[in-house]
Amino acid sequence: MTLQERIYQIDHIQARRFSKLTGEALEIATEGIIRHLRACAKMDVNPDASAVREIIDDALNGRRVFAESVDDLSSAT
């Protein structure tokens, strides 16, 4: 199953928005949505359409939702 198909299962409106992304916005959204899907699978919960919408919105504004890495978190303490 492609990422586009998986997003369509979550919310068809967000799937249409995702399909229109290009360039850096597409890369940012793809990374964020994949991280969201992995976290949901790990916690055995359904993906949240509003989280996908927020990830796409942030990608359109050039913001990476999940920009922190393990190194960033450990250096913050």
Side-chain angles (χ1 to χ4, degrees):
M1 175 180 298
T2 67
L3 182 58
Q4 179 70 34
E5 293 169 337
R6 184 66 181 108
I7 296 169
Y8 189 82
Q9 287 181 336
I10 298 167
D11 183 36
H12 69 279
I13 294 170
Q14 300 314 314
R16 279 196 307 252
R17 292 181 70 216
F18 180 79
S19 71
K20 295 176 184 177
L21 296 176
T22 60
E24 187 176 6
L26 176 60
E27 292 175 24
I28 293 170
T30 299
E31 177 185 359
I33 292 169
I34 288 172
R35 286 177 181 248
H36 176 65
L37 293 175
R38 285 181 181 158
C40 290
K42 184 177 180 180
M43 295 173 51
D44 197 28
V45 296
N46 291 327
D48 184 25
S50 62
V52 173
R53 182 186 69 240
E54 192 170 326
I55 291 166
I56 292 171
D57 289 346
D58 286 345
L60 287 168
N61 292 320
R63 291 185 303 227
R64 292 185 186 274
V65 177
F66 299 102
E68 299 87 15
S69 68
V70 174
D71 294 335
D72 294 337
L73 293 175
S74 63
S75 66
T77 57

